[in-house]
Amino acid sequence: MIAPAIADAFRKLSPRRQFRNPVMFVVFVCSVLTTGLWAQALAGHGEAPAAFIFWVAIWLWFTLVFANFAEAIAEGRGKAQAQALRGARRDVIAKKLAAPKRDAGVVFTSAAELRVGDHVLIEAGDTVPGDGEVIDGAASVDESAVTGESAPVIRESGGDRSSVTGSTRVLSDWLVVRIASNPGESFLDRMIAMVEGASRRKTPNEIALTILLAKFTLIFLLACATLLPYSLYAVSAAGHGSPVTITVLVALLVCLIPTTIGGLLSAIGIAGMDRMIQANVIAMSGRAVEAAGDVDVLLLDKTGTITLGNRQAVALHAAPGVSTSALADAAQLASLADETPEGRSIVVLAKEKFGLRERALHELDAHFVPFSAQTRMSGVDMHARAGEPNGHSRIIRKGAIDAVRNHLAARGATLPTTVVKVAEDIARKGGTPLLVVEDARALGVIELKDIVKGGIRERFAELRRMGIKTIMITGDNPLTAASIAAEAGVDDYLAEATPEAKLKLIRDIQAEGRLVAMCGDGTNDAPALAQADVAVAMNSGTQAAKEAGNMVDLDSNPTKLIEVVEIGKQMLITRGALTTFSIANDVAKYFAIIPAAFAGTYPALNALNVMHLATPQSAILSAVIFNALIIVFLIPLALKGVRYRAVGAGELLRRNLLVYGVTGLVVPFVGIKLIDWLLVLCGLA
């Protein structure tokens, strides 16, 4: 990337490009001015030796080139990634359907001709022609071209895994997809534009810092402009000495203005977005990355983020008068057709702990009732089989306390208080109780347990030290939510969360002047994602969620939200650290340039030459060279970022002042003295 970046650094020297950065535009004007003074000196009308003006001009141009190189190298990393993504994009022949049905008429057409709302059939071996939503079918999809993950994923209609991305490939079965983006507007196109930095705009903090740097530059420009007439007057009044030259004033101005941070500011912003891409998170704007660094509150989903998200049956608690084996038999029957991890774990528990054989579905004359959000129960209806003595129908249900209570109430029965107490005790311990009933009789409780992830409590403690509040969002009842929240160490929780409750919570927090981050993957998360300041949508989620979010996690890992916040804070910390270094750096350069600049006018100022630099010319040239080279040495830090530590704002400020402030004061003294020694050694002093 270095060779293209060098070429880009010279291409960026155009006045139009430099005008976007006030600090570097002043350096550009100074470079042009000193180049003109050098040409005038060659013609015999120079205000200073031609060689001195030449080297000042050369190093001023190098200052611009090095600043451009920092930005170009940051963009180069994105362009390399964009090239790989562009290689994944291809024009394919799509099977466009006349109607949203698999057996509808198929017309073969180019993917470039598909529009929003078109329906396409994608079969095994086909490439997905564009972003869309699965409306029929289920298939295994290879998304490695986009996510880099080699393992295939399942995409199916309905639920939160119905979104497909263009240029991925269907490995098995078939899908009917409704196209959700026009050509040139796909997720892959937006990824390419973002990683290339083509649509990167300055963030609010970056704009504010640019304005501050422009004000500093204007102040020093006015100060330097008054020094020439002041110097002429002083020499005239004293009758001896020589006035300060324009070349020296130009060098003084460039060394006084914050060129270090001015030259690296854009590179820091681009590198921040680049680190998001390396974490497999696509930020739709630089504003989103910056907002991640300013977040005050994190909304985290419980399942899969705080817990492992794989609840397992760990115990059976029979009701009074019911044997545990009878409860195990009923629980197993109700779960035979339940393919969820919870359902399979109940069957396994009944088999391993109670020796119940797993019966084949075809052996049972039964109608299985799947779980639904309305009933919040699942189960089985078994009919009496002919020829069996004492055969009778059995209606078995398992579900949440309230759902089972309503089910029994409809049959004129109630839940025993002992069973309710067992269920509440399980919930209090952080487990999930599932009640099992047969006909109008409660048989007992299945205890499900979801394990809190290792190390998550420590992560939350780090966030707390940074001043970030964590809130767990869960659909569990308040007792279960409170227990898991206490075990995980979150600051607060929202139980029995609905889309409306999430949206209200975010708005209430924002009304307090705080910034909110959350992640989501379902259509029901879209309103909250659209409201949040930092909204990370899962790539496996619905199209609505991805459209509502301002970031997309290609790995679909909910815990990535914590990493996103850390990357955003690292970008802000890096910007603050280098700003501190730049200002301290300028203070130190005063001691090199000011005594040298006015030594001809006020010889007594030589007493301030604390570094004992060889000559006034070498002092000025050494400062200008150091001013250019320090940008090069700081490029790796700007691209990599300052090491992130979970500390508060006060501690962070003290650390910046101690490390980067003190270093910024000391390094120029050492660097300028070393350069002065080399100039003397080379005979340029």
Side-chain angles (χ1 to χ4, degrees):
M1 295 183 292
I2 292 177
I6 292 173
D8 283 346
F10 283 96
R11 279 194 289 267
K12 291 174 182 287
L13 286 174
S14 67
R16 180 178 298 178
R17 291 297 300 267
Q18 296 303 314
F19 187 73
R20 300 175 187 174
N21 188 328
V23 177
M24 301 318 293
F25 180 70
V26 170
V27 179
F28 176 80
V29 173
C30 290
S31 302
V32 173
L33 178 59
T34 50
T35 303
L37 292 173
W38 173 64
Q40 191 178 40
L42 288 178
H45 304 290
E47 58 169 12
F52 172 70
I53 301 176
F54 169 78
W55 286 113
V56 170
I58 284 292
W59 282 102
L60 290 182
W61 284 113
F62 277 163
T63 304
L64 284 172
V65 171
F66 293 155
N68 292 341
F69 178 75
E71 182 177 349
I73 201 74
E75 291 174 348
R77 295 200 298 181
K79 288 177 181 178
Q81 291 169 322
Q83 194 61 34
L85 291 172
R86 196 173 278 109
R89 186 174 59 184
R90 62 193 73 175
D91 186 22
V92 299
I93 300 301
K95 301 171 183 175
K96 184 177 177 181
L97 296 170
K101 297 180 180 179
R102 186 188 182 189
D103 55 0
V106 172
V107 177
F108 291 92
T109 183
S110 169
E113 297 179 7
L114 294 175
R115 295 295 182 271
V116 174
D118 288 344
H119 296 88
V120 294
L121 173 65
I122 310 169
E123 298 176 300
D126 292 347
T127 298
V128 178
D131 297 352
E133 197 91 20
V134 179
I135 61 171
D136 194 12
S140 176
V141 180
D142 175 13
E143 295 187 338
S144 58
V146 175
T147 66
E149 178 58 55
S150 58
V153 295
I154 301 299
R155 293 289 176 262
E156 57 190 345
S157 59
D160 297 338
R161 297 186 176 272
S162 60
S163 175
V164 292
T165 305
S167 298
T168 57
R169 191 164 61 93
V170 172
L171 300 178
S172 66
D173 302 296
W174 56 272
L175 299 170
V176 174
V177 173
R178 180 172 57 243
I179 298 298
S181 65
N182 292 321
E185 301 173 359
S186 70
F187 180 61
L188 199 59
D189 290 319
R190 283 183 290 166
M191 283 174 62
I192 292 171
M194 287 306 303
V195 298
E196 284 185 324
S199 59
R200 195 190 88 86
R201 297 181 180 179
K202 288 185 177 181
T203 60
N205 279 355
E206 194 174 345
I207 292 172
L209 183 55
T210 301
I211 293 172
L212 178 64
L213 297 180
K215 289 181 177 179
F216 274 135
T217 302
L218 183 60
I219 290 169
F220 287 123
L221 179 62
L222 294 174
C224 290
T226 61
L227 290 177
L228 180 59
Y230 182 79
S231 175
L232 291 171
Y233 171 78
V235 170
S236 174
H240 59 82
S242 58
V244 65
T245 63
I246 295 177
T247 303
V248 170
L249 285 177
V250 166
L252 175 64
L253 174 63
V254 171
C255 289
L256 289 183
I257 64 177
T259 50
T260 306
I261 185 61
L264 295 173
L265 189 58
S266 181
I268 294 169
I270 296 171
M273 295 185 67
D274 201 43
R275 283 192 290 276
M276 284 289 185
I277 296 167
Q278 290 171 11
N280 248 11
V281 176
I282 301 299
M284 300 306 174
S285 68
R287 184 185 295 264
V289 181
E290 186 174 277
D294 285 330
V295 159
D296 300 301
V297 179
L298 279 184
L299 302 186
L300 299 158
D301 187 49
K302 185 204 78 172
T303 306
T305 304
I306 295 173
T307 64
L308 295 176
N310 194 11
R311 294 184 298 182
Q312 301 288 309
V314 294
L316 298 177
H317 305 272
V322 178
S323 66
T324 308
S325 58
L327 171 61
D329 177 65
Q332 185 195 55
L333 288 172
S335 305
L336 285 176
D338 187 350
E339 292 299 330
T340 64
E342 294 90 343
R344 302 311 303 162
S345 72
I346 293 170
V347 175
V348 170
L349 179 67
K351 179 181 178 181
E352 293 181 349
K353 196 168 183 179
F354 299 96
L356 297 180
R357 180 178 64 88
E358 183 176 345
R359 284 156 282 189
L361 296 177
H362 62 80
E363 295 179 2
L364 303 170
D365 182 15
H367 168 67
F368 291 95
V369 179
F371 175 85
S372 72
Q374 288 75 29
T375 64
R376 296 177 66 199
M377 291 191 305
S378 62
V380 61
D381 295 340
M382 299 181 63
H383 306 288
R385 302 183 68 174
E388 286 190 359
N390 301 321
H392 65 280
S393 298
R394 303 177 67 185
I395 299 176
I396 303 173
R397 294 290 185 271
K398 70 177 194 293
I401 296 178
D402 292 341
V404 171
R405 182 183 282 117
N406 294 336
H407 174 78
L408 291 177
R411 287 160 175 74
T414 59
L415 273 175
T417 55
T418 53
V419 173
V420 174
K421 185 177 183 303
V422 169
E424 290 177 347
D425 288 342
I426 291 171
R428 227 175 258 112
K429 293 187 296 182
T432 301
L434 284 183
L435 273 66
V436 181
V437 295
E438 181 173 345
D439 300 325
R441 182 188 182 196
L443 300 181
V445 183
I446 305 170
E447 181 179 353
L448 301 177
K449 183 71 175 176
D450 196 357
I451 308 301
V452 173
K453 288 183 176 180
I456 199 75
R457 188 180 184 90
E458 290 72 21
R459 296 289 297 275
F460 290 151
E462 288 183 4
L463 293 172
R464 195 174 297 110
R465 284 195 295 271
M466 294 160 48
I468 296 177
K469 181 180 180 180
T470 52
I471 300 178
M472 181 184 76
I473 298 177
T474 177
D476 288 336
N477 61 69
L479 289 175
T480 302
S483 176
I484 293 179
E487 185 178 352
V490 296
D491 298 311
D492 203 352
Y493 64 89
L494 176 66
E496 297 178 344
T498 62
E500 294 80 8
K502 294 178 190 176
L503 186 60
K504 182 180 183 301
L505 176 63
I506 293 174
R507 285 175 173 169
D508 290 345
I509 295 170
Q510 289 174 333
E512 299 172 2
R514 309 171 83 180
L515 268 64
V516 181
M518 75 163 289
C519 64
D521 58 0
T523 301
N524 63 341
D525 291 324
L529 287 171
Q531 183 67 36
D533 300 287
V534 178
V536 183
M538 302 296 102
N539 189 46
S540 62
T542 62
Q543 194 69 27
K546 288 198 281 189
E547 291 294 334
N550 50 24
M551 293 187 186
V552 176
D553 176 21
L554 300 181
D555 295 331
S556 299
N557 177 10
T559 60
K560 192 74 69 68
L561 183 59
I562 299 175
E563 191 174 345
V564 164
V565 171
E566 291 177 350
I567 292 173
K569 285 197 172 293
Q570 185 185 30
M571 187 186 77
L572 295 180
I573 291 169
T574 302
R575 189 184 295 160
L578 291 182
T579 301
T580 303
F581 181 90
S582 179
I583 294 173
N585 197 36
D586 293 338
V587 172
K589 284 181 287 189
Y590 302 163
F591 289 94
I593 278 215
I594 291 180
F598 292 93
T601 307
Y602 298 105
L605 284 178
N606 279 320
L608 295 178
N609 185 10
V610 293
M611 289 188 277
H612 303 291
L613 302 177
T615 64
Q617 287 78 11
S618 73
I620 292 165
L621 192 54
S622 297
V624 172
I625 294 172
F626 175 84
N627 193 61
L629 292 180
I630 196 63
I631 295 176
V632 178
F633 285 106
L634 290 176
I635 287 175
L637 183 61
L639 297 182
K640 186 179 180 180
V642 174
R643 184 182 174 187
Y644 168 78
R645 287 185 176 86
V647 295
E651 175 63 26
L652 185 62
L653 178 60
R654 285 191 295 272
R655 180 175 174 273
N656 272 358
L657 292 175
L658 182 62
V659 176
Y660 296 96
V662 173
T663 303
L665 285 172
V666 173
V667 168
F669 284 97
V670 178
I672 291 173
K673 179 61 180 177
L674 180 61
I675 294 170
D676 179 73
W677 177 76
L678 291 174
L679 290 176
V680 172
L681 195 65
C682 296
L684 296 176

